[in-house]
């Protein structure tokens, strides 16, 4: 007998999911390949740009600094050696002039004795000869300081003095008559010539002492200037070197923090030269590519794991209603003749109910997987939470559970999709109701988060809590601890996806026997309003 009902064959849900999965993976796989190629191209461009600059290494800067210090020290030492040589030269000249003066003064003592006592004038000629030998033996030294004219003047004076003394000796001891007058005149000439020689020598000695004093003072100043200049050069070189090294270390610290936060931007050249840090930049860029590749591999592994979990969940959830439909259908076919119309209608109602149950499971699954567009708008979280709590009012009343709501005044708004966020908080509140005992309490509060420019929504129940060993799995698709038929295990997974798309996070803290706290943090819209510490607590239900 033909069946009175004609059931149109439909494509199996698993096949639909597998086809969609293959299509998604195929598109994602091609996109991943393109991304890898683009990143490899960016890496190569960054590498070429980093290496194309002229090199000026830190080591070269250190060597250059030492070379400058050495060169400056060498110049200063040469200057000091020249000053010492000059001082030595002048000291020798002064010694020569002093010896010359001593001989001249000794000759003048004999001259004076002759004029007073008429004796030993001839001995003065020996001193004149000694003075002449001094000038002759130190001619080059004297010429280098006094010049040819002064030297010739000294020789001329000495020779003239010797001639005058010889003339005076030739006159003998006669002091009478006309010779007395000539001798008197010659005596004056001898005295005048002797005085001229002493004056010239004393003048030269005084001039050289003054020059010697200046040379010593200049050498002393050179020591001080050398120390100050050396200190300045070493300070500037150390400052430039330290700034160059420490600034780069600080930059790489920033790079490390940026990579840790998930920013994988490659390092590009900002200086006009390359150095040892260029090699480090190339290594960091290579590390970024490796980290990206490993992260993509982990994501792919996680996707495969999620697909496995998803498939198992779908099979488990759909198995019961399909079995019920098959059993009821077989009973309907086998007992069709022996059952009355009312029983047939009951059996068909069972089939329809089980089919609706399967449809609801698939609808939830599609909602979980669908990338639907969002309608974003600035949201007042306090008002939205009050509306969400109102949606759960019937469940709260039936369960005889009280809920307290509190909010901080003047909270900044959140930019998000109101329907999606309301779905998230309704899921959390319904989970809190399921976890609470009859007559229990639930607390919902919204306040500024610890992280700047974020607000936090806390949903707290005081129920049985979540066992620690399953706490890490509660956001997995189709994971649920609720009795069969009361939950699909997709609520928290969907909520996590929605909050992540809004730039926020869901965190959970639970302690068995004491309850569970779900904390949702969301970024504020733009500039936050003034936030106060005033908190108003008002029981709603």
């Amino acid at each position: 007998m033909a069946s009175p009902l004609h059931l149109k064959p439909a494509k199996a849900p698993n096949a639909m999911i597998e086809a969609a999965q293959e299509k998604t993976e195929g598109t994602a796989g091609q996109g991943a390949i393109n991304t890898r190629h683009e990143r490899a191209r960016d890496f190569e461009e960054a590498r070429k740009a980093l290496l194309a600059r002229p090199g000026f290494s830190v080591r070269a800067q250190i060597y250059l600094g030492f070379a400058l210090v050495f060169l400056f020290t060498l110049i200063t030492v040469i200057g000091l050696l020249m000053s010492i040589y000059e001082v030595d030269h002048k000291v020798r000249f002064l010694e020569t002039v002093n010896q010359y003066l001593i001989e001249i003064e000794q000759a003048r003592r004999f001259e004076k004795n002759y004029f007073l006592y008429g004796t030993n004038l001839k001995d003065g000629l020996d001193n004149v000869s000694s003075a002449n030998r001094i000038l002759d033996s130190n001619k080059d030294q004297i010429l280098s300081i006094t010049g040819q004219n002064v030297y010739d003047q000294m020789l001329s004076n000495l020779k003239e003095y010797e001639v005058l003394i010889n003339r005076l000796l030739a006159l003998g001891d006669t002091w009478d008559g006309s010779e007395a007058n000539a001798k008197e005149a010659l005596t004056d000439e001898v005295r005048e010539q002797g005085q001229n020689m002493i004056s010239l020598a004393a003048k030269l000695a005084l001039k050289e002492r003054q020059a010697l004093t200046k040379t010593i003072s200049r050498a002393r100043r050179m020591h001080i200037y050398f120390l100050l200049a050396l200190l300045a050069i070493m300070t500037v070189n150390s400052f430039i070197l330290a700034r160059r090294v420490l600034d780069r270390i600080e930059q790489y610290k920033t790079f490390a923090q940026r990579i840790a936060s998930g920013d994988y931007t490659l390092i590009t050249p900002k200086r006009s030269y390359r150095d040892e840090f260029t090699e480090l930049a190339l290594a960091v860029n290579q590390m970024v590519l490796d980290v990206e590749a490993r992260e993509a591999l982990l994501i792919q592994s996680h996707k495969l794991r999620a697909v496995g979990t998803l498939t198992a969940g779908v099979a488990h959830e759909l198995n019961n209603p399909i079995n019920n439909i098959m059993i009821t259908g077989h009973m309907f076919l086998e007992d069709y003749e022996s059952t009355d119309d009312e029983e047939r209608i009951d059996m068909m109602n069972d089939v329809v109910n089980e089919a609706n149950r399967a449809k609801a499971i698939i609808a939830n699954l599609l909602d979980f997987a669908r990338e639907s567009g969002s309608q974003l708008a600035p949201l007042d979280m306090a008002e939205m939470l009050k509306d969400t709590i109102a949606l759960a009012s019937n469940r709260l009343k039936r369960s005889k559970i009280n809920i307290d709501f509190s909010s901080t005044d003047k909270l900044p708004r959140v930019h998000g999709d109101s329907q999606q966020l309301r779905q998230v908080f309704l899921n959390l509140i319904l989970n809190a109701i399921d976890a609470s005992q009859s007559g229990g309490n639930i607390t919902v509060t919204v306040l500024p988060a610890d992280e700047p420019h974020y607000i936090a929504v806390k949903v707290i129940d005081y129920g049985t809590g979540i066992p620690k060993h399953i706490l890490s799995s509660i956001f997995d698709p189709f994971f649920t601890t609720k009795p069969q038929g009361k939950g699909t295990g997709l609520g928290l997974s969907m909520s996590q996806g929605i909050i992540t798309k809004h730039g926020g996070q869901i965190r959970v803290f639970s302690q068995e026997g004491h309850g569970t706290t779900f904390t949702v943090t969301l970024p504020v819209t733009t500039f936050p309003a003034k936030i106060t510490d005033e908190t108003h607590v008002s029981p709603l239900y």
Side-chain angles (χ1 to χ4, degrees):
M1 182 177 178
S3 173
L5 297 177
H6 177 70
L7 300 178
K8 185 179 180 180
K11 196 173 183 180
N14 285 343
M16 295 173 61
I17 294 172
E18 288 173 359
Q21 184 67 38
E22 289 176 357
K23 183 178 180 181
T24 304
E25 287 183 354
T27 305
Q30 186 61 41
I33 292 173
N34 293 336
T35 302
R36 285 198 296 272
H37 286 168
E38 291 175 358
R39 294 295 288 169
R41 184 190 60 197
D42 294 342
F43 173 79
E44 186 61 23
E45 290 177 353
R47 189 185 72 82
K48 289 181 179 177
L50 287 169
L51 294 178
R53 300 169 296 170
F56 180 48
S57 64
V58 176
R59 181 178 300 174
Q61 182 175 347
I62 293 173
Y63 290 161
L64 181 61
F66 278 113
L68 287 175
V69 171
F70 176 77
L71 180 62
F72 176 75
T73 305
L74 179 63
I75 294 174
T76 305
V77 169
I78 292 175
L80 290 174
L81 289 176
M82 291 178 66
S83 297
I84 293 173
Y85 173 77
E86 187 177 356
V87 169
D88 182 67
H89 189 62
K90 291 182 181 301
V91 168
R92 289 184 182 180
F93 175 77
L94 286 175
E95 290 176 351
T96 301
V97 172
N98 285 334
Q99 292 175 1
Y100 174 78
L101 274 175
I102 290 172
E103 296 298 334
I104 297 300
E105 287 175 351
Q106 186 61 31
R108 293 218 63 195
R109 288 191 190 94
F110 288 117
E111 170 197 329
K112 187 176 182 180
N113 290 334
Y114 175 76
F115 291 144
L116 291 175
Y117 310 110
T119 59
N120 297 334
L121 181 59
K122 195 173 182 180
D123 294 337
L125 292 175
D126 295 335
N127 295 106
V128 172
S129 297
S130 297
N132 199 9
R133 286 195 296 272
I134 291 172
L135 292 179
D136 185 62
S137 61
N138 297 280
K139 179 179 179 181
D140 294 338
Q141 181 188 47
I142 296 172
L143 285 175
S144 63
I145 295 178
T146 62
Q148 187 67 44
N149 293 333
V150 176
Y151 180 75
D152 292 342
Q153 182 65 39
M154 293 175 70
L155 285 177
S156 175
N157 290 340
L158 198 61
K159 188 172 182 180
E160 183 68 21
Y161 184 71
E162 184 179 8
V163 170
L164 291 174
I165 289 178
N166 287 326
R167 286 176 57 192
L168 190 60
L169 289 173
L171 290 176
D173 298 331
T174 304
W175 293 89
D176 296 331
S178 58
E179 293 181 352
N181 294 331
K183 196 171 185 177
E184 187 68 24
L186 187 58
T187 301
D188 293 339
E189 290 182 14
V190 170
R191 287 175 176 168
E192 183 179 358
Q193 189 63 30
Q195 186 60 39
N196 288 338
M197 289 189 298
I198 290 178
S199 298
L200 180 59
K203 187 178 179 181
L204 289 175
L206 177 62
K207 184 178 179 180
E208 283 307 303
R209 286 193 187 93
Q210 292 175 348
L212 179 62
T213 303
K214 290 182 180 179
T215 302
I216 294 174
S217 177
R218 186 180 64 203
R220 189 181 296 117
R221 289 196 301 272
M222 285 182 66
H223 281 87
I224 298 173
Y225 294 156
F226 167 73
L227 290 176
L228 293 177
L230 184 62
L231 178 63
I233 291 174
M234 295 182 69
T235 301
V236 172
N237 186 55
S238 300
F239 175 76
I240 295 175
L241 185 62
R243 184 177 178 182
R244 179 180 177 183
V245 174
L246 296 179
D247 284 356
R248 303 300 292 277
I249 292 175
E250 188 65 25
Q251 286 180 356
Y252 280 92
K253 178 183 175 184
T254 304
F255 292 151
Q257 293 173 345
R258 196 184 65 190
I259 293 171
S261 65
D263 183 357
Y264 296 145
T265 305
L266 296 175
I267 299 174
T268 54
K270 292 183 178 178
R271 296 175 182 268
S272 58
Y273 53 85
R274 59 182 167 84
D275 52 18
E276 288 84 351
F277 288 99
T278 302
E279 299 296 328
L280 183 57
L282 293 174
V284 171
N285 283 347
Q286 184 63 53
M287 182 191 69
V288 167
L289 284 187
D290 294 344
V291 169
E292 279 186 318
R294 285 185 173 82
E295 188 178 70
L297 185 62
L298 288 174
I299 292 173
Q300 188 65 22
S301 300
H302 184 73
K303 285 181 178 179
L304 293 175
R305 178 185 169 192
V307 169
T309 304
L310 186 67
T311 304
V314 169
H316 177 74
E317 290 297 323
L318 291 179
N319 187 52
N320 291 332
I322 290 175
N323 281 338
N324 292 337
I325 291 172
M326 291 179 64
I327 292 172
T328 305
H330 282 296
M331 289 176 62
F332 183 83
L333 293 175
E334 292 174 357
D335 302 335
Y336 182 79
E337 298 293 340
S338 61
T339 55
D340 54 21
D341 290 341
E342 185 177 357
E343 289 178 344
R344 293 172 187 164
I345 293 173
D346 289 341
M347 294 173 73
M348 285 300 101
N349 285 334
D350 290 342
V351 170
V352 171
N353 290 335
E354 292 299 320
N356 287 333
R357 180 181 166 191
K359 181 180 178 182
I361 293 172
I362 294 173
N364 284 336
L365 177 62
L366 293 177
D367 287 341
F368 172 73
R370 183 184 299 122
E371 291 290 342
S372 59
S374 301
Q375 296 180 352
L376 302 179
L379 303 175
D380 186 334
M381 292 303 296
E383 293 300 323
M384 192 187 71
L385 287 170
K386 289 178 182 177
D387 295 341
T388 306
I389 292 172
L391 293 176
S393 59
N394 289 332
R395 286 284 309 274
L396 290 167
K397 289 179 181 177
R398 287 203 307 269
S399 302
K400 298 179 181 179
I401 294 174
N402 297 320
I403 185 166
D404 293 333
F405 174 72
S406 63
S407 67
T408 302
D409 282 346
K410 299 179 181 178
L411 279 174
R413 292 176 179 266
V414 171
H415 200 65
D417 187 304
S418 62
Q419 294 298 329
Q420 293 181 1
L421 293 179
R422 186 175 285 108
Q423 181 182 354
V424 170
F425 295 119
L426 184 60
N427 281 334
L428 297 179
I429 292 172
L430 293 179
N431 287 342
I433 293 173
D434 291 338
S436 300
Q437 300 292 332
S438 178
N441 290 304
I442 296 173
T443 300
V444 177
T445 183
V446 55
L447 71 167
D450 296 335
E451 187 177 0
H453 308 307
Y454 278 76
I455 64 171
V457 177
K458 293 179 181 291
V459 179
I460 306 170
D461 69 68
Y462 306 95
T464 56
I466 303 172
K468 190 174 182 180
H469 67 280
I470 64 171
L471 196 59
S472 61
S473 303
I474 61 173
F475 292 104
D476 291 345
F478 291 104
F479 181 85
T480 180
T481 59
K482 295 178 181 178
Q484 185 175 359
K486 285 195 173 182
T488 61
L490 295 175
L492 286 178
S493 299
M494 294 170 59
S495 300
Q496 188 183 45
I498 292 171
I499 295 302
T500 301
K501 285 196 296 185
H502 283 73
Q505 287 183 331
I506 296 182
R507 293 188 291 270
V508 58
F509 173 77
S510 185
Q511 190 174 6
E512 286 189 82
H514 294 83
T516 303
T517 299
F518 281 91
T519 303
V520 178
T521 57
L522 290 167
V524 298
T525 302
T526 51
F527 297 101
K530 183 178 181 181
I531 299 175
T532 65
D533 294 329
E534 297 179 12
T535 301
H536 302 284
V537 179
S538 56
L540 297 180
Y541 299 99

